[in-house]
Amino acid sequence: MEFLPIFLDLKQRPCVVVGGGDIAFRKIKLLLRAGAKVTVIAPEVCQGLNALKDEVTCKVKNFEPSDLQGCDLVIAATNDRTVNSQISAAARERGMPVNVVDQPDLCSFIVPSIIDRSPVVVAVSSSGSSPVLARLLRARLETMIPSSYGRLAELVRGFRDQVRDKLKVSRDIRIFWEKILQGPVAEMMFAGQEDAAKAALQQAINTGDTLVDKSGEVYLVGAGPGDPDLLTFRALRLLQQADVVVYDRLVSKEILDLVRKDAEFLYVGKQRDDHALPQNEINEVLVRFAKQGKRVLRLKGGDPFIFGRGGEEIEELAAAGVPFQIVPGITAASGTASYAGIPLTHRDYAQSLVFVTGHLKDGSQNLNWTVLAQPHQTVVVYMGLVGVKNFCKQLLAHGAPKDRPMALVQKATTRDQKVIVGTVETIPDLVEKADIKPPTLIIIGDVVNLQDKLAWFDPRDNT
Ligand code: SAH
């Protein structure tokens, strides 16, 4: 190991930064975050630094070794190698930790890339060999560590003494916290249910039962339109900790590949005419698994609350007293719009946006056609492929012009994305000839004309 990672307490400690540019500015901000008393030494300072003048002491001058008198740590951020060497030598002479930006040979310590979930802090370093690599690794870790980790640590801090006094034996204390930090209490914190988490932790301390709530939980998670990169951080985390996954046809294989390997998978259909399980049975399954104490991931395409029957499933859970959390996903309209290059609103063309289903529960298309035929709006049709002919006919019959632009997009955001652009008059024929596969989304309105200019996603690039 080339460097020993340590965490310094710099609260109220005098530190010096030499240099007045952007890099110095960033280092100063970092020291201020750690509570240091910062003195800046530079013949001139950048604008950003000027804005910090109330928080730092600024000495507008050239560096002299005596500037280091009485300080705990120095960072050199000048672009003059001779000055940097002088600073390094002066600091080392005084036994003071020194960092010289981008010159590892002059450093006695290096500044890592940081993931800050204070009080939890993760530091990543490549020992100066590749700061970019360290930053990339940091970005990966950022996605894996929930933003509420800091609050979780604070929660533990508040209960540590109580747990120690109650359990006494250090092994028991460790096991207790391991269970708490991987169980429902932590999950409640991540879901923002802080009061419930506190109550559950208190209950666990009182009863010694760390599982607290044995009834399990359901995560209703939106998986987005297909591209796994469009999952949310929280969705990914829950995918990796579920015991059972209940999913339907719209969830892509790439996303299922991200689920914890030893989870149980249950396919419940949901393609047109392929209802492997009727809705009421899906609801029952969720309740049953949760009551067995399992963490049930109900994975849905797009967003669970947009034509996803998420509401119906949650109602059932609520009635059965099963705890649940809901994670939004990118709905097909957003995914399709972005990946096909069709903005859904535009100040010149569409001032309102309507999402409709082209397929009602009883199979009909009983929509307000007069409203949908109006100009200056964008109409997005989910589940519209089978009824597309009738949809266009109705729009025309209710006053939409024949040349109103219309697009039908197959399997948006995936390698099989196909975009067909036409008009309300031409789309039914174009679609018939094009051998289209579901799922497809329809977008109607003048915004479709922008597709020509704004399309950027080439599915073939992904093969
Ligand atoms: N809850 C989902 C919608 C479920 S309804 C969401 O928020 O996206 C199913 C319909 O969604 C499909 O018939 C289709 O119209 C649309 N859809 C879902 N994924 C799609 C995709 N990748 N490309 C195009 N349409 C999609």
Side-chain angles (χ1 to χ4, degrees), residues 250-294:
L250 275 180
V251 178
S252 68
K253 181 181 172 305
E254 288 86 345
I255 287 173
L256 289 174
D257 283 346
L258 296 170
V259 172
R260 191 164 74 102
K261 292 290 168 276
D262 44 359
E264 199 180 319
F265 287 75
L266 183 68
Y267 171 64
V268 291
K270 273 284 186 67
Q271 208 193 16
R272 252 186 88 77
D273 307 326
D274 165 32
H275 283 236
L277 269 191
Q279 187 63 50
N280 60 345
E281 283 181 38
I282 297 177
N283 302 350
E284 278 166 26
V285 161
L286 297 178
V287 172
R288 181 154 31 90
F289 278 129
K291 292 239 155 143
Q292 289 166 5
K294 294 191 168 131

mmCIF file of all heavy atoms in Angstrom, residues 250-294:
data_model
loop_
_atom_site.group_PDB
_atom_site.id
_atom_site.type_symbol
_atom_site.label_atom_id
_atom_site.label_comp_id
_atom_site.label_asym_id
_atom_site.label_seq_id
_atom_site.Cartn_x
_atom_site.Cartn_y
_atom_site.Cartn_z
ATOM 1 N N LEU A 250 -43.652 -6.812 -19.845
ATOM 2 C CA LEU A 250 -42.976 -5.593 -20.278
ATOM 3 C C LEU A 250 -41.561 -5.441 -19.708
ATOM 4 O O LEU A 250 -40.781 -4.646 -20.189
ATOM 5 C CB LEU A 250 -43.792 -4.373 -19.842
ATOM 6 C CG LEU A 250 -44.916 -3.924 -20.771
ATOM 7 C CD1 LEU A 250 -45.606 -2.718 -20.161
ATOM 8 C CD2 LEU A 250 -44.402 -3.594 -22.156
ATOM 9 N N VAL A 251 -41.239 -6.207 -18.669
ATOM 10 C CA VAL A 251 -39.925 -6.025 -18.037
ATOM 11 C C VAL A 251 -38.865 -6.758 -18.855
ATOM 12 O O VAL A 251 -38.976 -7.962 -19.105
ATOM 13 C CB VAL A 251 -39.959 -6.578 -16.592
ATOM 14 C CG1 VAL A 251 -38.598 -6.435 -15.956
ATOM 15 C CG2 VAL A 251 -41.011 -5.846 -15.774
ATOM 16 N N SER A 252 -37.843 -6.024 -19.278
ATOM 17 C CA SER A 252 -36.887 -6.616 -20.221
ATOM 18 C C SER A 252 -35.970 -7.621 -19.532
ATOM 19 O O SER A 252 -35.744 -7.572 -18.321
ATOM 20 C CB SER A 252 -36.062 -5.520 -20.894
ATOM 21 O OG SER A 252 -35.207 -4.907 -19.956
ATOM 22 N N LYS A 253 -35.413 -8.508 -20.340
ATOM 23 C CA LYS A 253 -34.538 -9.562 -19.826
ATOM 24 C C LYS A 253 -33.304 -8.935 -19.165
ATOM 25 O O LYS A 253 -32.839 -9.392 -18.126
ATOM 26 C CB LYS A 253 -34.128 -10.467 -20.986
ATOM 27 C CG LYS A 253 -33.246 -11.588 -20.547
ATOM 28 C CD LYS A 253 -32.814 -12.493 -21.676
ATOM 29 C CE LYS A 253 -31.774 -13.491 -21.189
ATOM 30 N NZ LYS A 253 -30.593 -12.891 -20.557
ATOM 31 N N GLU A 254 -32.791 -7.880 -19.779
ATOM 32 C CA GLU A 254 -31.595 -7.223 -19.230
ATOM 33 C C GLU A 254 -31.862 -6.740 -17.809
ATOM 34 O O GLU A 254 -30.974 -6.752 -16.954
ATOM 35 C CB GLU A 254 -31.172 -6.013 -20.083
ATOM 36 C CG GLU A 254 -30.569 -6.353 -21.419
ATOM 37 C CD GLU A 254 -31.623 -6.548 -22.501
ATOM 38 O OE1 GLU A 254 -32.820 -6.694 -22.165
ATOM 39 O OE2 GLU A 254 -31.248 -6.564 -23.680
ATOM 40 N N ILE A 255 -33.080 -6.303 -17.564
ATOM 41 C CA ILE A 255 -33.404 -5.817 -16.218
ATOM 42 C C ILE A 255 -33.564 -6.998 -15.261
ATOM 43 O O ILE A 255 -33.051 -6.973 -14.140
ATOM 44 C CB ILE A 255 -34.652 -4.915 -16.253
ATOM 45 C CG1 ILE A 255 -34.243 -3.584 -16.893
ATOM 46 C CG2 ILE A 255 -35.230 -4.702 -14.861
ATOM 47 C CD1 ILE A 255 -35.347 -2.635 -17.163
ATOM 48 N N LEU A 256 -34.187 -8.064 -15.730
ATOM 49 C CA LEU A 256 -34.328 -9.246 -14.865
ATOM 50 C C LEU A 256 -32.955 -9.813 -14.506
ATOM 51 O O LEU A 256 -32.756 -10.344 -13.416
ATOM 52 C CB LEU A 256 -35.175 -10.320 -15.554
ATOM 53 C CG LEU A 256 -36.665 -9.963 -15.666
ATOM 54 C CD1 LEU A 256 -37.411 -11.009 -16.479
ATOM 55 C CD2 LEU A 256 -37.306 -9.818 -14.286
ATOM 56 N N ASP A 257 -31.991 -9.647 -15.398
ATOM 57 C CA ASP A 257 -30.634 -10.125 -15.118
ATOM 58 C C ASP A 257 -30.001 -9.402 -13.925
ATOM 59 O O ASP A 257 -29.015 -9.865 -13.359
ATOM 60 C CB ASP A 257 -29.722 -9.926 -16.341
ATOM 61 C CG ASP A 257 -29.985 -10.987 -17.391
ATOM 62 O OD1 ASP A 257 -30.655 -11.987 -17.051
ATOM 63 O OD2 ASP A 257 -29.546 -10.816 -18.533
ATOM 64 N N LEU A 258 -30.551 -8.242 -13.594
ATOM 65 C CA LEU A 258 -29.976 -7.469 -12.486
ATOM 66 C C LEU A 258 -30.556 -7.880 -11.127
ATOM 67 O O LEU A 258 -30.116 -7.423 -10.084
ATOM 68 C CB LEU A 258 -30.221 -5.971 -12.703
ATOM 69 C CG LEU A 258 -29.533 -5.372 -13.938
ATOM 70 C CD1 LEU A 258 -30.034 -3.956 -14.193
ATOM 71 C CD2 LEU A 258 -28.029 -5.369 -13.743
ATOM 72 N N VAL A 259 -31.580 -8.737 -11.156
ATOM 73 C CA VAL A 259 -32.209 -9.160 -9.893
ATOM 74 C C VAL A 259 -31.275 -10.128 -9.171
ATOM 75 O O VAL A 259 -30.539 -10.881 -9.807
ATOM 76 C CB VAL A 259 -33.563 -9.848 -10.186
ATOM 77 C CG1 VAL A 259 -34.133 -10.465 -8.925
ATOM 78 C CG2 VAL A 259 -34.540 -8.849 -10.786
ATOM 79 N N ARG A 260 -31.323 -10.094 -7.837
ATOM 80 C CA ARG A 260 -30.517 -10.999 -7.017
ATOM 81 C C ARG A 260 -30.669 -12.439 -7.515
ATOM 82 O O ARG A 260 -31.773 -12.924 -7.727
ATOM 83 C CB ARG A 260 -31.003 -10.903 -5.568
ATOM 84 C CG ARG A 260 -30.093 -11.577 -4.569
ATOM 85 C CD ARG A 260 -30.459 -11.074 -3.198
ATOM 86 N NE ARG A 260 -31.713 -11.647 -2.753
ATOM 87 C CZ ARG A 260 -31.814 -12.650 -1.880
ATOM 88 N NH1 ARG A 260 -30.754 -13.180 -1.356
ATOM 89 N NH2 ARG A 260 -32.987 -13.109 -1.512
ATOM 90 N N LYS A 261 -29.543 -13.098 -7.696
ATOM 91 C CA LYS A 261 -29.549 -14.381 -8.404
ATOM 92 C C LYS A 261 -30.381 -15.457 -7.714
ATOM 93 O O LYS A 261 -31.020 -16.269 -8.360
ATOM 94 C CB LYS A 261 -28.113 -14.888 -8.617
ATOM 95 C CG LYS A 261 -27.325 -14.033 -9.593
ATOM 96 C CD LYS A 261 -27.849 -14.205 -11.046
ATOM 97 C CE LYS A 261 -27.289 -13.157 -11.976
ATOM 98 N NZ LYS A 261 -27.971 -11.875 -12.013
ATOM 99 N N ASP A 262 -30.379 -15.482 -6.379
ATOM 100 C CA ASP A 262 -31.125 -16.562 -5.735
ATOM 101 C C ASP A 262 -32.564 -16.179 -5.390
ATOM 102 O O ASP A 262 -33.240 -16.873 -4.636
ATOM 103 C CB ASP A 262 -30.378 -17.082 -4.495
ATOM 104 C CG ASP A 262 -29.839 -15.948 -3.650
ATOM 105 O OD1 ASP A 262 -30.043 -14.784 -4.056
ATOM 106 O OD2 ASP A 262 -29.240 -16.209 -2.596
ATOM 107 N N ALA A 263 -33.051 -15.104 -5.996
ATOM 108 C CA ALA A 263 -34.458 -14.745 -5.765
ATOM 109 C C ALA A 263 -35.359 -15.717 -6.535
ATOM 110 O O ALA A 263 -34.937 -16.330 -7.511
ATOM 111 C CB ALA A 263 -34.714 -13.316 -6.237
ATOM 112 N N GLU A 264 -36.597 -15.821 -6.046
ATOM 113 C CA GLU A 264 -37.580 -16.659 -6.729
ATOM 114 C C GLU A 264 -38.279 -15.785 -7.770
ATOM 115 O O GLU A 264 -38.650 -14.644 -7.459
ATOM 116 C CB GLU A 264 -38.574 -17.077 -5.640
ATOM 117 C CG GLU A 264 -39.424 -18.253 -5.918
ATOM 118 C CD GLU A 264 -40.331 -18.507 -4.705
ATOM 119 O OE1 GLU A 264 -39.858 -18.392 -3.550
ATOM 120 O OE2 GLU A 264 -41.498 -18.776 -4.920
ATOM 121 N N PHE A 265 -38.448 -16.286 -8.999
ATOM 122 C CA PHE A 265 -39.074 -15.484 -10.061
ATOM 123 C C PHE A 265 -40.485 -15.979 -10.343
ATOM 124 O O PHE A 265 -40.694 -17.170 -10.492
ATOM 125 C CB PHE A 265 -38.260 -15.579 -11.354
ATOM 126 C CG PHE A 265 -36.978 -14.805 -11.300
ATOM 127 C CD1 PHE A 265 -35.894 -15.275 -10.579
ATOM 128 C CD2 PHE A 265 -36.851 -13.588 -11.965
ATOM 129 C CE1 PHE A 265 -34.715 -14.556 -10.513
ATOM 130 C CE2 PHE A 265 -35.674 -12.865 -11.900
ATOM 131 C CZ PHE A 265 -34.605 -13.347 -11.179
ATOM 132 N N LEU A 266 -41.416 -15.066 -10.415
ATOM 133 C CA LEU A 266 -42.773 -15.456 -10.757
ATOM 134 C C LEU A 266 -43.284 -14.577 -11.893
ATOM 135 O O LEU A 266 -43.435 -13.359 -11.746
ATOM 136 C CB LEU A 266 -43.673 -15.306 -9.525
ATOM 137 C CG LEU A 266 -45.108 -15.759 -9.752
ATOM 138 C CD1 LEU A 266 -45.177 -17.265 -9.946
ATOM 139 C CD2 LEU A 266 -45.981 -15.353 -8.565
ATOM 140 N N TYR A 267 -43.541 -15.208 -13.024
ATOM 141 C CA TYR A 267 -44.041 -14.479 -14.202
ATOM 142 C C TYR A 267 -45.557 -14.427 -14.147
ATOM 143 O O TYR A 267 -46.203 -15.460 -13.960
ATOM 144 C CB TYR A 267 -43.558 -15.197 -15.474
ATOM 145 C CG TYR A 267 -44.189 -14.667 -16.734
ATOM 146 C CD1 TYR A 267 -43.947 -13.352 -17.144
ATOM 147 C CD2 TYR A 267 -45.038 -15.452 -17.501
ATOM 148 C CE1 TYR A 267 -44.537 -12.848 -18.288
ATOM 149 C CE2 TYR A 267 -45.624 -14.957 -18.656
ATOM 150 C CZ TYR A 267 -45.376 -13.653 -19.034
ATOM 151 O OH TYR A 267 -45.959 -13.148 -20.155
ATOM 152 N N VAL A 268 -46.112 -13.241 -14.284
ATOM 153 C CA VAL A 268 -47.570 -13.149 -14.189
ATOM 154 C C VAL A 268 -48.203 -12.589 -15.465
ATOM 155 O O VAL A 268 -49.308 -12.067 -15.443
ATOM 156 C CB VAL A 268 -48.016 -12.318 -12.963
ATOM 157 C CG1 VAL A 268 -47.710 -13.063 -11.680
ATOM 158 C CG2 VAL A 268 -47.388 -10.937 -12.963
ATOM 159 N N GLY A 269 -47.476 -12.731 -16.577
ATOM 160 C CA GLY A 269 -48.081 -12.402 -17.867
ATOM 161 C C GLY A 269 -48.334 -10.937 -18.071
ATOM 162 O O GLY A 269 -47.494 -10.114 -17.748
ATOM 163 N N LYS A 270 -49.482 -10.611 -18.598
ATOM 164 C CA LYS A 270 -49.914 -9.233 -18.785
ATOM 165 C C LYS A 270 -49.717 -8.726 -20.194
ATOM 166 O O LYS A 270 -49.827 -7.546 -20.433
ATOM 167 C CB LYS A 270 -49.179 -8.270 -17.849
ATOM 168 C CG LYS A 270 -49.808 -8.093 -16.485
ATOM 169 C CD LYS A 270 -51.020 -7.218 -16.588
ATOM 170 C CE LYS A 270 -51.592 -6.913 -15.226
ATOM 171 N NZ LYS A 270 -50.728 -6.101 -14.453
ATOM 172 N N GLN A 271 -49.368 -9.593 -21.133
ATOM 173 C CA GLN A 271 -49.408 -9.119 -22.495
ATOM 174 C C GLN A 271 -50.864 -9.232 -22.927
ATOM 175 O O GLN A 271 -51.640 -9.969 -22.316
ATOM 176 C CB GLN A 271 -48.526 -9.977 -23.385
ATOM 177 C CG GLN A 271 -48.004 -9.202 -24.568
ATOM 178 C CD GLN A 271 -47.395 -10.139 -25.586
ATOM 179 O OE1 GLN A 271 -47.614 -11.338 -25.540
ATOM 180 N NE2 GLN A 271 -46.631 -9.578 -26.488
ATOM 181 N N ARG A 272 -51.231 -8.566 -23.989
ATOM 182 C CA ARG A 272 -52.597 -8.704 -24.493
ATOM 183 C C ARG A 272 -52.932 -10.176 -24.643
ATOM 184 O O ARG A 272 -52.145 -10.948 -25.185
ATOM 185 C CB ARG A 272 -52.675 -8.053 -25.870
ATOM 186 C CG ARG A 272 -53.442 -6.751 -25.890
ATOM 187 C CD ARG A 272 -53.585 -6.281 -27.304
ATOM 188 N NE ARG A 272 -54.784 -6.856 -27.921
ATOM 189 C CZ ARG A 272 -56.005 -6.422 -27.678
ATOM 190 N NH1 ARG A 272 -56.205 -5.430 -26.846
ATOM 191 N NH2 ARG A 272 -57.040 -6.981 -28.248
ATOM 192 N N ASP A 273 -54.085 -10.557 -24.181
ATOM 193 C CA ASP A 273 -54.573 -11.936 -24.318
ATOM 194 C C ASP A 273 -53.639 -12.969 -23.695
ATOM 195 O O ASP A 273 -53.619 -14.112 -24.089
ATOM 196 C CB ASP A 273 -54.773 -12.303 -25.809
ATOM 197 C CG ASP A 273 -55.645 -11.278 -26.499
ATOM 198 O OD1 ASP A 273 -56.552 -10.746 -25.829
ATOM 199 O OD2 ASP A 273 -55.412 -11.017 -27.695
ATOM 200 N N ASP A 274 -52.794 -12.573 -22.810
ATOM 201 C CA ASP A 274 -51.867 -13.532 -22.208
ATOM 202 C C ASP A 274 -51.792 -13.236 -20.717
ATOM 203 O O ASP A 274 -50.748 -12.932 -20.181
ATOM 204 C CB ASP A 274 -50.485 -13.371 -22.882
ATOM 205 C CG ASP A 274 -49.389 -14.056 -22.078
ATOM 206 O OD1 ASP A 274 -49.685 -15.081 -21.438
ATOM 207 O OD2 ASP A 274 -48.255 -13.562 -22.089
ATOM 208 N N HIS A 275 -52.914 -13.255 -20.090
ATOM 209 C CA HIS A 275 -52.918 -12.981 -18.665
ATOM 210 C C HIS A 275 -52.611 -14.267 -17.905
ATOM 211 O O HIS A 275 -53.495 -15.033 -17.567
ATOM 212 C CB HIS A 275 -54.266 -12.398 -18.230
ATOM 213 C CG HIS A 275 -54.374 -10.962 -18.609
ATOM 214 N ND1 HIS A 275 -54.638 -9.961 -17.708
ATOM 215 C CD2 HIS A 275 -54.215 -10.344 -19.787
ATOM 216 C CE1 HIS A 275 -54.658 -8.794 -18.326
ATOM 217 N NE2 HIS A 275 -54.407 -9.003 -19.589
ATOM 218 N N ALA A 276 -51.326 -14.514 -17.698
ATOM 219 C CA ALA A 276 -50.936 -15.741 -17.013
ATOM 220 C C ALA A 276 -51.646 -15.825 -15.668
ATOM 221 O O ALA A 276 -52.016 -16.890 -15.223
ATOM 222 C CB ALA A 276 -49.433 -15.786 -16.834
ATOM 223 N N LEU A 277 -51.820 -14.703 -15.014
ATOM 224 C CA LEU A 277 -52.573 -14.667 -13.760
ATOM 225 C C LEU A 277 -53.530 -13.485 -13.812
ATOM 226 O O LEU A 277 -53.122 -12.381 -14.152
ATOM 227 C CB LEU A 277 -51.613 -14.429 -12.589
ATOM 228 C CG LEU A 277 -50.992 -15.605 -11.844
ATOM 229 C CD1 LEU A 277 -50.317 -15.099 -10.585
ATOM 230 C CD2 LEU A 277 -52.021 -16.659 -11.502
ATOM 231 N N PRO A 278 -54.783 -13.683 -13.481
ATOM 232 C CA PRO A 278 -55.692 -12.530 -13.441
ATOM 233 C C PRO A 278 -55.277 -11.572 -12.316
ATOM 234 O O PRO A 278 -54.641 -11.997 -11.339
ATOM 235 C CB PRO A 278 -57.056 -13.154 -13.141
ATOM 236 C CG PRO A 278 -56.872 -14.619 -13.076
ATOM 237 C CD PRO A 278 -55.420 -14.938 -13.146
ATOM 238 N N GLN A 279 -55.673 -10.295 -12.495
ATOM 239 C CA GLN A 279 -55.226 -9.259 -11.566
ATOM 240 C C GLN A 279 -55.504 -9.606 -10.105
ATOM 241 O O GLN A 279 -54.651 -9.443 -9.241
ATOM 242 C CB GLN A 279 -55.865 -7.917 -11.920
ATOM 243 C CG GLN A 279 -55.330 -6.743 -11.128
ATOM 244 C CD GLN A 279 -53.843 -6.496 -11.389
ATOM 245 O OE1 GLN A 279 -53.398 -6.422 -12.521
ATOM 246 N NE2 GLN A 279 -53.054 -6.398 -10.329
ATOM 247 N N ASN A 280 -56.704 -10.125 -9.801
ATOM 248 C CA ASN A 280 -56.992 -10.381 -8.382
ATOM 249 C C ASN A 280 -56.079 -11.450 -7.807
ATOM 250 O O ASN A 280 -55.704 -11.415 -6.639
ATOM 251 C CB ASN A 280 -58.481 -10.713 -8.166
ATOM 252 C CG ASN A 280 -58.895 -11.944 -8.939
ATOM 253 O OD1 ASN A 280 -58.178 -12.396 -9.840
ATOM 254 N ND2 ASN A 280 -60.045 -12.487 -8.595
ATOM 255 N N GLU A 281 -55.644 -12.375 -8.668
ATOM 256 C CA GLU A 281 -54.718 -13.396 -8.166
ATOM 257 C C GLU A 281 -53.320 -12.827 -7.956
ATOM 258 O O GLU A 281 -52.606 -13.215 -7.034
ATOM 259 C CB GLU A 281 -54.684 -14.598 -9.111
ATOM 260 C CG GLU A 281 -55.920 -15.464 -8.931
ATOM 261 C CD GLU A 281 -55.919 -16.679 -9.840
ATOM 262 O OE1 GLU A 281 -54.854 -17.265 -10.046
ATOM 263 O OE2 GLU A 281 -57.012 -17.005 -10.346
ATOM 264 N N ILE A 282 -52.933 -11.899 -8.825
ATOM 265 C CA ILE A 282 -51.631 -11.232 -8.623
ATOM 266 C C ILE A 282 -51.657 -10.531 -7.263
ATOM 267 O O ILE A 282 -50.731 -10.653 -6.462
ATOM 268 C CB ILE A 282 -51.343 -10.200 -9.742
ATOM 269 C CG1 ILE A 282 -51.249 -10.905 -11.097
ATOM 270 C CG2 ILE A 282 -50.059 -9.429 -9.444
ATOM 271 C CD1 ILE A 282 -51.045 -9.975 -12.274
ATOM 272 N N ASN A 283 -52.747 -9.803 -7.011
ATOM 273 C CA ASN A 283 -52.859 -9.099 -5.732
ATOM 274 C C ASN A 283 -52.730 -10.075 -4.558
ATOM 275 O O ASN A 283 -52.024 -9.809 -3.591
ATOM 276 C CB ASN A 283 -54.207 -8.371 -5.627
ATOM 277 C CG ASN A 283 -54.408 -7.368 -6.760
ATOM 278 O OD1 ASN A 283 -53.484 -7.086 -7.512
ATOM 279 N ND2 ASN A 283 -55.609 -6.832 -6.881
ATOM 280 N N GLU A 284 -53.396 -11.216 -4.694
ATOM 281 C CA GLU A 284 -53.352 -12.204 -3.609
ATOM 282 C C GLU A 284 -51.944 -12.767 -3.410
ATOM 283 O O GLU A 284 -51.501 -12.966 -2.285
ATOM 284 C CB GLU A 284 -54.316 -13.358 -3.905
ATOM 285 C CG GLU A 284 -55.748 -13.031 -3.534
ATOM 286 C CD GLU A 284 -56.729 -14.029 -4.146
ATOM 287 O OE1 GLU A 284 -56.333 -15.185 -4.407
ATOM 288 O OE2 GLU A 284 -57.892 -13.629 -4.382
ATOM 289 N N VAL A 285 -51.277 -13.011 -4.536
ATOM 290 C CA VAL A 285 -49.911 -13.560 -4.474
ATOM 291 C C VAL A 285 -48.994 -12.604 -3.710
ATOM 292 O O VAL A 285 -48.218 -13.017 -2.841
ATOM 293 C CB VAL A 285 -49.364 -13.778 -5.910
ATOM 294 C CG1 VAL A 285 -47.859 -13.888 -5.912
ATOM 295 C CG2 VAL A 285 -49.984 -15.033 -6.505
ATOM 296 N N LEU A 286 -49.131 -11.329 -4.014
ATOM 297 C CA LEU A 286 -48.265 -10.332 -3.350
ATOM 298 C C LEU A 286 -48.489 -10.382 -1.843
ATOM 299 O O LEU A 286 -47.543 -10.411 -1.051
ATOM 300 C CB LEU A 286 -48.552 -8.921 -3.870
ATOM 301 C CG LEU A 286 -48.275 -8.675 -5.354
ATOM 302 C CD1 LEU A 286 -48.648 -7.243 -5.735
ATOM 303 C CD2 LEU A 286 -46.803 -8.924 -5.680
ATOM 304 N N VAL A 287 -49.756 -10.397 -1.449
ATOM 305 C CA VAL A 287 -50.088 -10.407 -0.027
ATOM 306 C C VAL A 287 -49.561 -11.693 0.617
ATOM 307 O O VAL A 287 -48.939 -11.671 1.679
ATOM 308 C CB VAL A 287 -51.620 -10.283 0.181
ATOM 309 C CG1 VAL A 287 -51.981 -10.486 1.638
ATOM 310 C CG2 VAL A 287 -52.099 -8.917 -0.308
ATOM 311 N N ARG A 288 -49.741 -12.803 -0.074
ATOM 312 C CA ARG A 288 -49.343 -14.093 0.495
ATOM 313 C C ARG A 288 -47.829 -14.143 0.736
ATOM 314 O O ARG A 288 -47.362 -14.474 1.820
ATOM 315 C CB ARG A 288 -49.792 -15.219 -0.429
ATOM 316 C CG ARG A 288 -49.457 -16.602 0.089
ATOM 317 C CD ARG A 288 -50.403 -17.683 -0.444
ATOM 318 N NE ARG A 288 -50.932 -17.446 -1.769
ATOM 319 C CZ ARG A 288 -50.343 -17.860 -2.902
ATOM 320 N NH1 ARG A 288 -49.215 -18.491 -2.850
ATOM 321 N NH2 ARG A 288 -50.897 -17.617 -4.065
ATOM 322 N N PHE A 289 -47.049 -13.783 -0.281
ATOM 323 C CA PHE A 289 -45.587 -13.798 -0.125
ATOM 324 C C PHE A 289 -45.148 -12.871 1.013
ATOM 325 O O PHE A 289 -44.305 -13.215 1.829
ATOM 326 C CB PHE A 289 -44.884 -13.367 -1.404
ATOM 327 C CG PHE A 289 -44.748 -14.466 -2.422
ATOM 328 C CD1 PHE A 289 -45.148 -14.269 -3.735
ATOM 329 C CD2 PHE A 289 -44.202 -15.690 -2.076
ATOM 330 C CE1 PHE A 289 -45.022 -15.275 -4.683
ATOM 331 C CE2 PHE A 289 -44.069 -16.705 -3.017
ATOM 332 C CZ PHE A 289 -44.481 -16.497 -4.322
ATOM 333 N N ALA A 290 -45.730 -11.679 1.037
ATOM 334 C CA ALA A 290 -45.332 -10.712 2.063
ATOM 335 C C ALA A 290 -45.652 -11.255 3.454
ATOM 336 O O ALA A 290 -44.859 -11.124 4.384
ATOM 337 C CB ALA A 290 -46.029 -9.377 1.829
ATOM 338 N N LYS A 291 -46.798 -11.921 3.570
ATOM 339 C CA LYS A 291 -47.187 -12.466 4.877
ATOM 340 C C LYS A 291 -46.271 -13.608 5.312
ATOM 341 O O LYS A 291 -46.187 -13.943 6.479
ATOM 342 C CB LYS A 291 -48.649 -12.934 4.843
ATOM 343 C CG LYS A 291 -49.613 -11.762 4.693
ATOM 344 C CD LYS A 291 -50.578 -11.675 5.841
ATOM 345 C CE LYS A 291 -51.059 -10.247 6.003
ATOM 346 N NZ LYS A 291 -52.412 -10.061 6.387
ATOM 347 N N GLN A 292 -45.581 -14.200 4.328
ATOM 348 C CA GLN A 292 -44.594 -15.237 4.684
ATOM 349 C C GLN A 292 -43.279 -14.590 5.137
ATOM 350 O O GLN A 292 -42.277 -15.270 5.334
ATOM 351 C CB GLN A 292 -44.314 -16.141 3.481
ATOM 352 C CG GLN A 292 -45.456 -17.060 3.124
ATOM 353 C CD GLN A 292 -45.287 -17.696 1.735
ATOM 354 O OE1 GLN A 292 -44.269 -17.509 1.076
ATOM 355 N NE2 GLN A 292 -46.293 -18.419 1.299
ATOM 356 N N GLY A 293 -43.268 -13.257 5.204
ATOM 357 C CA GLY A 293 -42.066 -12.556 5.674
ATOM 358 C C GLY A 293 -41.080 -12.254 4.551
ATOM 359 O O GLY A 293 -39.935 -11.902 4.798
ATOM 360 N N LYS A 294 -41.537 -12.392 3.303
ATOM 361 C CA LYS A 294 -40.598 -12.181 2.188
ATOM 362 C C LYS A 294 -40.580 -10.727 1.718
ATOM 363 O O LYS A 294 -41.558 -9.996 1.866
ATOM 364 C CB LYS A 294 -40.985 -13.085 1.021
ATOM 365 C CG LYS A 294 -40.790 -14.547 1.388
ATOM 366 C CD LYS A 294 -40.898 -15.447 0.187
ATOM 367 C CE LYS A 294 -40.420 -16.823 0.557
ATOM 368 N NZ LYS A 294 -41.323 -17.885 0.158
#
